[in-house]
Structures are given as C-alpha cells and as structure tokens.
Amino acid sequence: MKHSRILIFSAGFGNGHYRAAEAVIEEILIKEPEAIINHLDFGDFLSKRFNSMAKNLYMEMVKHTPKLWGKFYYKTSQFQPDSLAQRFLNQLGRKEFLRYIQSFAPDLIVCTYPTVSSILAQLRIEQILHIPLITIITDYTVHSHWVHPGVDGYVAACDEVKENLIAWGIKPEKIFTTGIPISPKFNLDKDKETIINKLGLNPKLPIFLLMGGAYEEAKGIKRICESLANSHVSVQTIIVCGKNRQLFHALDELVEHSRNPILRMAYVHNVEDLMSIASLLITKAGGLTVTEALSKNLPLLIYRALPGQEEANADFVQRLGAGNVANSEQDLHQLITYYLTNPQEITKLREKAAIALTGRSTEGTVNAMFKLILSTRKKRMIS
C-alpha cells in the first residue's frame, strides 16, 4: 500500500501554530508509522527581510503595544477574502510554494497558519494546485484571514467556530468540528501521586501552576509568585519560566526563602504531567494552552489575554464556566485569594472543564485528514 505523503505548514508567529502541527504529526505516526511527513515554516518561503520584518513587527506590537495589536486585529477581522489586502497576501511566495509542493508531491497539505492557507487556497481556486488542503484554526474564534473558499476542509475548535465559518460562506460539509489538535500525550491517564512525589510536593495541598514563560515582563510575574509564596493559606506553586532566563533568575531569593513551596522550572517537555496534578492554571489564553488545560479538566485563571484572538479564547473559557479572567494585576491577586480561601469554587470550575470538550481532538482531526486523502484517491482512480 502507498505510504501517505503529507505536507504541513505552520509559522513562527507565536508557538501555538507550531504545536498544533507537531500534535498532528504525532497522531499521524500513531495511525500510519510509515507516513512521509514534512513540516515547514511558511516564512522560509518568503524573503528573509520580509519575514524578519513581519515577525519583529508582530512581536513588538504584542509585547509593547497590545492595544494597537487589538485594533489591527479587529479592524482586519471583517476583510473579505477578495479584498485588496487579502489579494496582496495571496501572492506571497506562490512560485516558491508551488516549486516545493511539486517536488514533494504530497497527498495532502495541512496548514495551521492562515496566510499560507489562503495562498494555497487561491491556487486551488485557480486550479493551479491539485492537492487537497486542510486548514486547522488554532483559536476559539475566526478571523477573516482564515477564510477562503478554496480550502477543502476546515478543522474547527467548537460549534461557534463552525457557525462563524458558515456565516462566511463555507459549506458545512467542509467543516470538521473535532477541536484544536493537541499532543496525544494529553489523552493519557497519569498517576498523579507518582508525579507529585517525584516533584517533592505535598498531595494534600493545592498546587497552582503558573505559565510564567508566556509573559515578557519579569517583575509582575515575580509579584504574583511573592503573593503565593507569602499566602497565609497553604499553597504550592509551580512556575514554568520557559526560555525567560530573566524571570528564572529573578526568583532565586524567593524560591530559597519562600513561606510556601515554590518549584521553579525552565523550559519543560512534560506540561501534561504538570497540568495533571495542578489545581488551577494561571496563564495567558493561547488556543493550544486553553485546549490542553481543558483536556486535563484543569480550571484556568487567565491573566493579560492579548487583545484579539486571546480575548476570544478567554471569553470561551468564561462562557463554559471553566475559568475566570483577570484584566489587571489587582484583579489577579484578588482572584487568587478568593480561590485559595474558597477551594470549593475551584471544584466547580473543574466540573465545568471536565465537560467542555469532546476529547481526542487530534485523533478526530487526523481521521478527517485520512478520509480526505482516501476520497481524493478514489476520485482520481475513477477519472
């Protein structure tokens, strides 16, 4: 039997697009270990100068002027697929993409980033590209940049995203509401007692997990850790600093002299273990992080959600009743105190989180992908 050849495009604008792509790859190799998969950054097909400028502009906006990013996001969210701006973007790297696609000859192309999806979808409409295209939307909302009639199949996070796509004119049969793909590791049942003991924590005390690496500014995150460290209600804190070395070292003295235990980590590869034992997650609102937490029935306390897609993800969590949102540091400290003194409220959030998702989103996504490959092969055999 012919091994499936699958080409996946993500992008380096935030980590979620990459993680969704890697999750899909994990699941593909579970179902078809001999599958041939290439995962590429779409920016590599653009000029280095343009790609670097675009990434730097995005990072500077979200870091220093998030409100400006929000205005840009909402201003462009209603652009039509045939707008002048979208037509310009659809021309980026066309020759380079086609040249590579022809050399690799995939059975299916998967996109987890909207710009490359629209470029390839336009080539599908023009009948220049003859490979089926699936686009995975990595948030709980739909920006118009994701929308293009040339996409053969959309993976939607939830029914609301599906309804939004239909409102944009996408046919319902093209939409698979399987959820945002996350690593299959999050589907595994973990021995919580073993993980807690390995980390040297107390199984009888609450554990607050803080994803500090998502925040650029170390001082504010340090103040949050100080609040937890000095809490009169006993709590254990796990702070994941990621690649933020400034934050990691800023906590040196606090970790050593804390009233309550603080476990500090740099970049980790076992977030699913930490989420399995946590009582509450303090984080931003990336679509992948939200999905990972909900898959572990973990309530979220969302802090400083980025205007635009993260605000929509935070709203989704609140509507579910699976978490809460702090728009300021003062709000966050008040909510932390509230949940520490009212642990039954965390239990209520956990109950809502437990029924938020259908589960096994990546398995459903990959099943939809293989169905599209199979149907395409059958059509070609008939023709």
Side-chain angles (χ1 to χ4, degrees):
M1 183 179 176
K2 179 185 175 184
H3 299 314
S4 298
R5 300 176 66 86
I6 300 173
L7 180 58
I8 302 178
F9 288 105
S10 64
F13 293 81
N15 197 30
H17 306 290
Y18 177 85
R19 282 158 53 203
E22 287 294 300
V24 166
I25 291 170
E26 285 184 67
E27 187 67 33
I28 291 171
L29 293 176
I30 291 172
K31 294 190 177 300
E32 189 183 326
E34 301 301 320
I36 301 166
I37 308 165
N38 269 6
H39 176 196
L40 304 172
D41 186 327
F42 106 99
D44 292 341
F45 290 80
L46 309 177
S47 74
K48 288 185 178 180
R49 183 177 180 182
F50 181 88
N51 187 41
S52 176
M53 182 180 68
K55 284 185 178 179
N56 288 339
L57 179 61
Y58 171 77
M59 294 306 297
E60 287 299 309
M61 287 179 71
V62 300
K63 181 178 178 180
H64 298 295
T65 56
K67 289 184 179 179
L68 182 60
W69 163 256
K71 288 181 179 179
F72 174 79
Y73 178 92
Y74 290 116
K75 182 75 173 178
T76 58
S77 65
Q78 296 305 311
F79 280 8
Q80 295 296 320
D82 61 349
S83 68
L84 182 63
Q86 191 61 59
R87 291 203 303 272
F88 166 76
L89 291 173
N90 289 347
Q91 299 302 311
L92 295 175
R94 279 167 61 109
K95 291 181 180 179
E96 290 77 8
F97 283 118
L98 278 171
R99 189 180 300 118
Y100 184 86
I101 291 167
Q102 289 167 356
S103 67
F104 183 64
D107 297 298
L108 178 70
I109 301 173
V110 180
C111 296
T112 65
Y113 190 71
T115 304
V116 63
S117 169
S118 294
I119 293 168
L120 300 182
Q122 185 60 35
L123 292 170
R124 291 285 286 148
I125 287 288
E126 295 174 17
Q127 298 186 8
I128 296 172
L129 179 63
H130 303 287
I131 311 299
L133 171 66
I134 278 189
T135 295
I136 299 171
I137 298 175
T138 53
D139 290 297
Y140 289 88
T141 187
V142 181
H143 188 282
S144 65
H145 194 30
W146 287 102
V147 181
H148 197 293
V151 175
D152 296 276
Y154 277 99
V155 172
C158 59
D159 289 334
E160 185 175 339
V161 170
K162 178 179 180 178
E163 291 166 6
N164 288 340
L165 285 169
I166 293 171
W168 274 104
I170 302 300
K171 296 178 180 178
E173 58 268 24
K174 283 188 172 186
I175 306 169
F176 310 105
T177 314
T178 52
I180 297 174
I182 56 175
S183 172
K185 294 185 293 186
F186 284 86
N187 295 327
L188 302 176
D189 291 328
K190 297 287 184 173
D191 187 334
K192 296 181 181 180
E193 186 176 350
T194 298
I195 298 170
I196 289 172
N197 289 337
K198 186 176 180 180
L199 294 174
L201 298 175
N202 186 339
K204 296 181 179 180
L205 295 178
I207 300 171
F208 280 20
L209 174 60
L210 173 55
M211 304 303 286
Y215 301 95
E216 294 291 339
E217 200 265 308
K219 290 183 180 178
I221 302 305
K222 183 181 178 181
R223 287 194 295 270
I224 297 167
C225 291
E226 288 172 346
S227 176
L228 291 164
N230 298 321
S231 169
H232 293 290
V233 179
S234 296
V235 60
Q236 302 165 109
T237 302
I238 301 175
I239 166 99
V240 178
C241 300
K243 297 177 181 178
N244 192 335
R245 296 183 61 84
Q246 180 187 2
L247 173 60
F248 188 90
H249 292 298
L251 299 174
D252 286 344
E253 186 175 346
L254 184 64
V255 169
E256 186 175 350
H257 301 292
S258 172
R259 178 180 184 275
N260 292 312
I262 292 185
L263 184 59
R264 175 185 53 175
M265 299 181 174
Y267 192 88
V268 299
H269 297 279
N270 64 333
V271 173
E272 70 281 0
D273 288 348
L274 304 181
M275 287 188 176
S276 294
I277 63 170
S279 310
L280 184 72
L281 173 65
I282 303 171
T283 182
K284 295 184 78 173
L288 270 288
T289 299
V290 166
T291 307
E292 289 166 352
L294 293 177
S295 76
K296 286 298 183 181
N297 308 337
L298 176 60
L300 297 101
L301 178 49
I302 295 169
Y303 174 51
R304 285 174 56 187
L306 185 68
Q309 68 273 28
E310 285 195 11
E311 282 184 339
N313 296 337
D315 288 344
F316 174 75
V317 170
Q318 277 196 306
R319 290 197 303 273
L320 291 173
N324 214 328
V325 175
N327 294 314
S328 68
E329 191 172 325
Q330 182 180 0
D331 288 345
L332 180 63
H333 288 297
Q334 288 175 349
L335 284 167
I336 287 173
T337 301
Y338 176 74
Y339 288 123
L340 283 173
T341 53
N342 297 277
Q344 71 278 6
E345 295 302 317
I346 294 181
T347 301
K348 292 178 182 178
L349 297 177
R350 185 177 290 277
E351 289 171 353
K352 294 293 185 180
I355 59 174
L357 305 178
T358 56
R360 298 192 172 273
S361 56
T362 315
E363 183 178 358
T365 297
V366 172
N367 285 341
M369 289 167 48
F370 278 120
K371 283 181 182 178
L372 185 54
I373 291 173
L374 186 59
S375 65
T376 302
R377 285 175 178 170
K378 286 182 179 178
K379 289 177 183 176
R380 287 175 179 169
M381 289 175 62
I382 294 171
S383 61

